[in-house]
Amino acid sequence: MENTGNLTMEQQDRERRLRWFRQARFGMFIHWGLYSQLGRHEWVMNRERIPAAEYEKLADSWKPRPHAAREWAKLAKEVGMRYMVMTTKHHEGFCLFDSQLTDYNAVKRGPGRDLVAEYVEAARSEGLRVGFYYSMMDWRHPDGVQCKRDEAARRRFVDYIHGQVRELCTNYGKLDIMWYDVSWPLDVDEWESAKMNAMVRQLQPDIIINDRSQLPEDFGTPEQHITPAKDGRAWEACMTFNESWGYTPIDAKFKTAWDVVSMLRQVAAGGGNLLLNIGPSPEGDAPPICVEELQKVGAWLQRYGPAIYEATDPMEQEWQITGAFTRKGDRVYFHCNRWPGSELAIGGLRNRVLSAHLFNGPAVRFTQQSDRLVLTGLPTEAPDPLATVIELQVEGEPRHVLGTGYRLLDEDT
Ligand code: JFZ
């Protein structure tokens, strides 16, 4: 949504703050906390009903090595990510930042230092935008449940949460994203979310805020699925690498570079972002499989980046087993991630094709009869097994329509 002509002042300011985000496409999510020591998902305290006194011992046994965040930030930059979002406090209630509102924090306990400050320094040193994840739900705070039943408890808990958000927006310099999470058990009025976010914007005038304080704010956050927002609203799909957000080595089925490239094509086609998570070990190691697969993605983006970062124009399209499109103006990019061999047939493209090239490469021979495009003389093996991008220049508004029958109803002649 670039045209600011018919936007309200508020919408124009939102678009001003969102400009970098709409171009970012790819970010790194980091889930790191006491739960990382147990290695059984970030919900382990809740799922295993670990007694609070037993769980709290993790606050003193956690000894992450210094500046692990520099490794994550370097990796993120290397592989084409343009921002990072890290947990400052997850549901367990342990703060990775120096809070004056609780001693259950990384400075006062095991780590003995401000892990959020290290993360911010690392991300900025790589020129990456900085996001803070902050869980409003808090399993440790004594009023975290009672707040729903008792006004005095609600007052204390809301003041605590607002107070910590204020600390985060005050003590770490310029922030780019406030990424709230899980606002159980209160509703938007009980949380006083509008007041909290007004405070955030007063402290951080350029910040963007996600939709998880029960207000829509600046962008949507489909989780574990890629569902573009409607009406041009900004959005970002957050996805795990395996099935867990926190470090969980027993959850060993990780997405491959092929999966990540496919997700990047999907978010680009929908005009959104992919926030891909890594759950570092308690010491701070990114899982090696994530590093390996991300480096393959980075190499792919080096070659095909514009077909992802810039090709976000909307285009009507249907599924095709050999690949899918992104679009920029009169160029459509067919991301072929299942290579059929020396001939590739694409049905349903409703436009006259003026030229075809391997992306930044040689022209490709093609024939076109009605909505059957056949590209020939291709390499028998996929030039790039993650996805080989073919650039088509087309006439008119690109449309890819196949329907369920062999022909569309209005074409059945
Ligand atoms: C939440 C957290 O519980 C999870 O640990 C992780 O931090 C993720 C990014 O966010 O997960 C959710 C949040 C909302 C829903 C489901 C899982 N939901 O609305 O169904």
Side-chain angles (χ1 to χ4, degrees):
M1 182 192 294
E2 286 308 317
N3 165 26
T4 58
N6 52 357
L7 297 182
T8 65
M9 293 294 285
E10 182 189 354
Q11 289 169 329
Q12 288 189 46
D13 181 61
R14 171 162 293 130
E15 287 308 315
R16 172 188 68 80
R17 292 180 286 104
L18 279 170
R19 185 155 294 118
W20 72 268
F21 185 74
R22 287 187 183 280
Q23 296 165 2
R25 200 73 53 247
F26 198 15
M28 180 182 278
F29 214 168
I30 299 276
H31 277 69
W32 204 32
L34 302 183
Y35 46 79
S36 307
Q37 298 173 82
L38 299 180
R40 297 191 302 275
H41 198 278
E42 71 284 356
W43 273 64
V44 64
M45 178 180 167
N46 162 286
R47 296 292 96 174
E48 298 183 8
R49 286 287 189 270
I50 300 174
E54 179 182 330
Y55 195 86
E56 178 161 341
K57 291 174 186 165
L58 295 170
D60 296 310
S61 57
W62 193 21
K63 303 290 185 184
R65 72 167 175 280
H67 298 299
R70 287 178 180 165
E71 299 157 26
W72 315 331
K74 191 175 179 321
L75 174 64
K77 180 73 173 185
E78 175 194 336
V79 305
M81 292 168 160
R82 293 177 169 174
Y83 64 105
M84 296 176 78
V85 179
M86 186 181 84
T87 49
T88 62
K89 181 192 76 139
H90 205 264
H91 314 332
E92 67 183 7
F94 184 77
C95 303
L96 278 68
F97 61 98
D98 186 13
S99 175
Q100 304 310 308
L101 303 180
T102 177
D103 286 347
Y104 200 51
N105 74 59
V107 174
K108 302 283 194 317
R109 305 295 288 266
R113 59 189 201 277
D114 189 325
L115 301 176
V116 167
E118 285 187 6
Y119 153 69
V120 170
E121 179 269 338
R124 292 217 184 95
S125 68
E126 295 293 337
L128 298 169
R129 296 277 181 155
V130 174
F132 284 171
Y133 166 110
Y134 182 81
S135 173
M136 296 168 74
M137 177 168 74
D138 190 308
W139 292 330
R140 184 169 184 271
H141 194 286
D143 295 320
V145 177
Q146 193 59 16
C147 63
K148 190 64 181 174
R149 294 187 287 260
D150 172 85
E151 176 51 24
R154 186 196 69 81
R155 184 70 273 147
R156 288 191 300 267
F157 188 49
V158 168
D159 288 347
Y160 177 77
I161 297 296
H162 285 213
Q164 289 206 319
V165 170
R166 177 179 290 277
E167 289 182 312
L168 288 168
C169 291
T170 304
N171 300 335
Y172 296 95
K174 186 176 187 308
L175 296 186
D176 298 293
I177 303 173
M178 178 52 76
W179 214 100
Y180 294 116
D181 199 14
V182 186
S183 54
W184 185 88
L186 301 177
D187 68 26
V188 63
D189 297 322
E190 292 165 331
W191 277 118
E192 302 173 23
S193 293
K195 179 183 167 195
M196 178 171 68
N197 293 341
M199 177 261 291
V200 169
R201 295 192 189 283
Q202 189 268 327
L203 292 168
Q204 296 282 345
D206 298 332
I207 203 164
I208 58 176
I209 300 174
N210 77 351
D211 61 349
R212 294 195 180 187
S213 63
Q214 298 186 33
L215 292 170
E217 299 295 358
D218 299 314
F219 67 97
T221 56
E223 177 169 326
Q224 302 288 41
H225 60 93
I226 296 176
T227 307
K230 294 183 171 44
D231 308 324
R233 175 169 161 81
W235 62 279
E236 163 203 82
C238 56
M239 306 290 283
T240 52
F241 232 118
N242 47 8
E243 293 300 316
S244 309
W245 300 92
Y247 181 64
T248 308
I250 56 175
D251 175 7
K253 189 172 182 310
F254 285 84
K255 295 174 179 70
T256 64
W258 186 94
D259 296 315
V260 176
V261 164
S262 174
M263 291 193 292
L264 283 169
R265 197 242 15 115
Q266 292 175 68
V267 298
N273 290 349
L274 173 65
L275 185 64
L276 181 60
N277 182 75
I278 63 169
S281 71
E283 298 74 22
D285 302 312
I289 183 74
C290 298
V291 176
E292 289 156 30
E293 294 307 301
L294 280 175
Q295 286 172 335
K296 295 173 190 171
V297 172
W300 187 87
L301 283 169
Q302 286 285 334
R303 181 169 182 188
Y304 298 108
I308 293 291
Y309 291 114
E310 298 165 28
T312 56
D313 289 346
M315 175 180 168
E316 181 185 7
Q317 65 175 297
E318 294 191 41
W319 69 268
Q320 188 117 14
I321 196 64
T322 45
F325 294 100
T326 57
R327 176 204 165 190
K328 182 175 172 68
D330 68 347
R331 305 295 159 122
V332 292
Y333 301 98
F334 189 74
H335 300 239
C336 185
N337 60 0
R338 295 185 182 91
W339 192 257
S342 61
E343 183 173 300
L344 168 62
I346 300 173
L349 193 58
R350 300 289 156 159
N351 307 79
R352 182 163 162 253
V353 174
L354 304 176
S355 68
H357 289 79
L358 288 179
F359 187 81
N360 281 345
V364 173
R365 288 195 309 276
F366 66 93
T367 58
Q368 195 172 16
Q369 276 79 39
S370 176
D371 66 343
R372 172 175 162 81
L373 173 69
V374 182
L375 303 160
T376 56
L378 296 167
T380 48
E381 298 300 319
D384 197 312
L386 297 187
T388 299
V389 178
I390 296 170
E391 178 177 330
L392 305 174
Q393 184 183 10
V394 300
E395 214 170 53
E397 182 71 14
R399 288 181 66 232
H400 180 245
V401 181
L402 282 157
T404 306
Y406 175 61
R407 279 272 180 269
L408 298 179
L409 282 176
D410 57 7
E411 291 174 338
D412 196 6
T413 50

